[in-house]
Amino acid sequence: MIALLDYGAGNVRSLTNAIERLGEEVRVVSSGEDILTAGKLVFPGVGAFGSMMHRLNERGYIEPLTTYLHSNRPFLGICLGLQALFDYSEEAPDVKGLGIIPGSVKRFVIDRSVPHIGWNGLNLKQPSPFFNGLVGGEKFYFVHSYHVVPKDMSVVLTTTDYECEFVSSIQRGNILATQFHPEKSGRFGLHILKNFLRAVPGHALPKAASESTQLAKRIVACLDVRSNDHGDLVVTKGDQYDVRESGDVRNLGKPVDLARRYYQEGADEIIFLNITGFRDFPLEDMPMLEVLQQTSKNVFVPLTIGGGIRDYTDKNGRNYTALEVAAEYFRSGADKVSIGSDAVLIVENFIKSGRKNGRSSIEEISRVYGSQAVVISIDPRRVYVSSPDDVAHQVIETTTPGPRGESFCWYQCTIKGGREGRDLDAITLAQVCEQLGAGEILLNCIDRDGTNLGFDIELINCVSNAVSIPVIASSGAGALEHFYEVFTQTHAEAALAAGIFHRREIPIAAVKNYLRGKVEIRLY
Ligand code: 1PR
């Protein structure tokens, strides 16, 4: 029986699913006594350092947890569950950590995108039973803006390189803690988890321990989901966002089945977009929650859900906040939520008032769950102009002239799935959302969606050069070369495709085989 410390933030369902998949039972801790009597304790810290310590305090968990840790009983901390062991964090300098491992938690100060999101490797610093059965060179899933700095380097089990070399796991006696997420790291992550659960004896160093590591570019599969006219929830796919063919909603498969297939084929991440979420009541849309719950039983890579994340009032007049909607998605197995239409309205208000109000969905969700949990989905459309002075927007010079020979354009934000254009450009939207606390941009392109013409490199460059958070390039993938192009001609951290994967025109494995040796990727 494994005790799981859930203090009510973020996605612990995936970890429960991973442990159960390995044949162990999970008991969720509901009192300090449960911590003190645990045989093995797993602490999947999620969210932000300050709110995590606050919640642990509120529930009276701090004292039992420190007692448990001082007794050197088996403990696995994951992500914030690692950071919590230290004295304090720059994320919330006034809040004390557990102080079990002397040292602090610092924010990345680097030129690369922060958060550090994606699959990276491990430099092994000492043998550990944790690594039995690994060969070296495996990649694991990270998502964080802060990293631990121990005073005593003898606790360091692994480091990872991301412009700087940072500590990615520690071990002291029976206390193990990782910055990466084993439960989100595919079969190698499950393997490490199994080594902890089964307390495999021996101290193994993988045969091919690496000396430096590199973050992989991610290949993301996207599933646009909605109900068709018969009321079945289906994966659909648009051509420039039009998902109907001869009047019917295109049906390309069942969401849970397709997500499982993409996981098995090596997708680094899976995104579900509830494309009619803007007009439905998200918490009444139980099938979407069910999709997440079922998917997270079999899929051990990160899951993002978008569509309908906003404040709303249901038919009975009850008000829900975007934070409540997001919380329900996290509880059902999502690691990140993506905000589309609401982000546009938030930025419009921000520009009008000239300041943050602290209550927008972006600010509230990132405050509680961390910025890495908030993705902004942008649905832009190209608008040509003859001169940059024609509009009060951020305009770029384009190599693809417009219908009247215009050599400039701007990217107009839309809401409600491209149905309504707004007086706001995609670059400004991305910049303001970053300021408000968003952790990643999902950059679609209505002009390229479903066309197979390749990604809009100009769009991706102008947005990714304007922000320091990672950008997922989306829309238009139609050939293997398009993935190479987007990774070598832009700073995109990930490339997303839908149609070519759904129609089995190009399998994910073919994309990875093509990129192998040319671009850093995760091999599966
Ligand atoms: O506005 O917060 O409720 O979120 C709604 C979400 O649904 C947004 O993320 C929006 O992008 C998405 N959405 C709304 N309508 C559509 C539609 O297609 N009619 N899908 C839609 C957007 C675009 C991509 C697609 C890529 C790759 N889908 O995600 O998967 O373009 O396609 P390709 O590789 O086939 O070219 P809110």
Side-chain angles (χ1 to χ4, degrees):
M1 171 83 77
I2 307 299
L4 184 91
L5 204 166
D6 175 14
Y7 56 91
N11 173 15
V12 296
R13 181 178 285 269
S14 301
L15 185 59
T16 306
N17 288 338
I19 296 173
E20 288 178 352
R21 165 64 71 96
L22 295 167
E24 296 283 347
E25 259 182 73
V26 174
R27 187 188 55 175
V28 176
V29 163
S30 59
S31 68
E33 189 57 24
D34 287 347
I35 296 177
L36 292 170
T37 54
K40 278 198 174 117
L41 183 63
V42 180
F43 178 16
V46 225
F49 190 90
S51 77
M52 166 185 68
M53 293 310 299
H54 181 66
R55 286 187 189 211
L56 289 177
N57 215 350
E58 242 175 24
R59 293 180 183 212
Y61 288 170
I62 303 255
E63 224 183 276
L65 193 51
T66 0
T67 308
Y68 183 92
L69 287 160
H70 280 308
S71 70
N72 191 30
R73 279 146 64 204
F75 173 89
L76 172 62
I78 298 172
C79 195
L80 271 184
L82 159 71
Q83 299 181 5
L85 300 175
F86 286 70
D87 297 322
Y88 77 95
S89 168
E90 285 182 357
E91 192 177 7
D94 303 333
V95 179
K96 264 171 62 175
L98 295 172
I100 299 291
I101 308 279
S104 57
V105 184
K106 303 220 149 123
R107 191 176 161 86
F108 280 115
V109 185
I110 52 175
D111 289 333
R112 296 192 63 177
S113 308
V114 176
H116 170 227
I117 299 186
W119 298 76
N120 206 330
L122 306 176
N123 306 308
L124 306 167
K125 299 297 180 185
Q126 52 175 300
S128 163
F130 220 24
F131 299 119
N132 275 331
L134 296 187
V135 294
E138 293 89 353
K139 288 195 189 286
F140 298 87
Y141 186 73
F142 289 82
V143 51
H144 60 123
S145 302
Y146 296 81
H147 61 95
V148 298
V149 183
K151 282 195 179 139
D152 170 9
M153 294 306 275
S154 71
V155 298
V156 176
L157 198 51
T158 63
T159 63
T160 294
D161 300 292
Y162 187 58
E163 201 176 290
C164 61
E165 185 181 9
F166 69 90
V167 174
S168 48
S169 66
I170 60 113
Q171 178 169 18
R172 196 178 72 190
N174 286 321
I175 299 175
L176 291 168
T178 63
Q179 185 58 67
F180 56 92
H181 289 260
E183 79 284 11
K184 287 281 146 195
S185 297
R187 67 190 169 98
F188 299 125
L190 292 185
H191 191 89
I192 283 193
L193 203 51
K194 186 173 80 192
N195 285 345
F196 169 77
L197 298 177
R198 309 250 162 101
V200 179
H203 287 266
L205 262 188
K207 287 181 204 108
S210 56
E211 281 173 6
S212 69
T213 70
Q214 257 185 287
L215 179 68
K217 298 288 184 181
R218 285 170 279 155
I219 304 299
V220 179
C222 184
L223 288 77
D224 288 355
V225 180
R226 61 162 289 171
S227 294
N228 65 12
D229 300 329
H230 313 291
D232 309 315
L233 200 67
V234 298
V235 173
T236 187
K237 183 70 218 49
D239 284 333
Q240 300 184 321
Y241 283 34
D242 180 1
V243 298
R244 287 185 183 268
E245 194 167 272
S246 317
D248 290 330
V249 172
R250 278 193 200 95
N251 179 351
L252 293 169
K254 294 186 179 156
V256 178
D257 294 349
L258 268 189
R260 186 185 308 146
R261 187 184 115 204
Y262 295 142
Y263 168 63
Q264 286 163 350
E265 290 178 358
D268 297 316
E269 199 163 321
I270 290 167
I271 298 182
F272 290 109
L273 295 175
N274 176 359
I275 66 169
T276 50
F278 69 89
R279 61 170 180 237
D280 301 330
F281 296 126
L283 291 187
E284 286 166 18
D285 196 7
M286 298 315 272
M288 224 40 222
L289 298 175
E290 180 72 18
V291 162
L292 277 173
Q293 287 159 12
Q294 292 305 324
T295 301
S296 63
K297 281 190 185 151
N298 298 299
V299 172
F300 299 102
V301 294
L303 297 175
T304 300
I305 174 106
I309 316 262
R310 61 189 155 89
D311 299 344
Y312 75 100
T313 306
D314 73 9
K315 293 174 209 148
N316 307 317
R318 184 177 162 197
N319 297 321
Y320 293 87
T321 64
L323 184 62
E324 286 174 286
V325 179
E328 203 50 46
Y329 281 136
F330 290 129
R331 268 194 289 277
S332 301
D335 300 287
K336 308 185 225 176
V337 292
S338 115
I339 304 176
S341 305
D342 200 37
V344 176
L345 305 178
I346 290 167
V347 172
E348 288 177 351
N349 281 333
F350 175 92
I351 291 171
K352 221 181 284 162
S353 68
R355 60 187 172 83
K356 302 178 183 181
N357 68 17
R359 292 191 310 274
S360 70
S361 56
I362 302 173
E363 291 159 284
E364 293 210 318
I365 300 170
S366 63
R367 195 159 44 235
V368 177
Y369 293 96
S371 64
Q372 78 293 333
V374 182
V375 182
I376 304 300
S377 170
I378 312 184
D379 299 316
R381 191 178 269 128
R382 206 175 243 245
V383 179
Y384 284 100
V385 285
S386 307
S387 147
D389 303 326
D390 287 359
V391 282
H393 294 295
Q394 302 202 50
V395 169
I396 62 157
E397 191 164 2
T398 174
T399 53
T400 318
R404 285 178 215 89
E406 300 96 327
S407 43
F408 297 92
C409 72
W410 64 286
Y411 288 96
Q412 181 186 32
C413 292
T414 65
I415 58 172
K416 303 180 183 169
R419 287 170 181 78
E420 195 179 315
R422 308 290 292 193
D423 193 24
L424 177 68
D425 66 79
I427 305 176
T428 305
L429 177 80
Q431 288 172 319
V432 175
C433 288
E434 178 177 13
Q435 274 186 52
L436 294 174
E440 199 170 19
I441 302 288
L442 162 53
L443 187 54
N444 303 298
C445 174
I446 298 180
D447 312 285
R448 294 293 174 104
D449 175 57
T451 62
N452 289 9
L453 291 173
F455 298 95
D456 186 333
I457 299 292
E458 291 179 330
L459 166 66
I460 297 158
N461 268 326
C462 70
V463 172
S464 63
N465 291 339
V467 293
S468 62
I469 52 179
V471 170
I472 304 172
S474 163
S475 305
L480 294 170
E481 296 76 17
H482 294 154
F483 291 89
Y484 179 72
E485 230 169 65
V486 79
F487 287 137
T488 51
Q489 295 179 20
T490 78
H491 294 300
E493 298 282 1
L496 172 153
I500 53 166
F501 295 154
H502 301 336
R503 300 193 173 97
R504 294 182 188 268
E505 287 160 9
I506 299 182
I508 293 171
V511 175
K512 292 203 165 181
N513 280 335
Y514 180 81
L515 294 177
R516 191 179 186 163
K518 303 186 186 95
V519 171
E520 185 73 13
I521 42 148
R522 175 183 73 113
L523 293 170
Y524 192 62

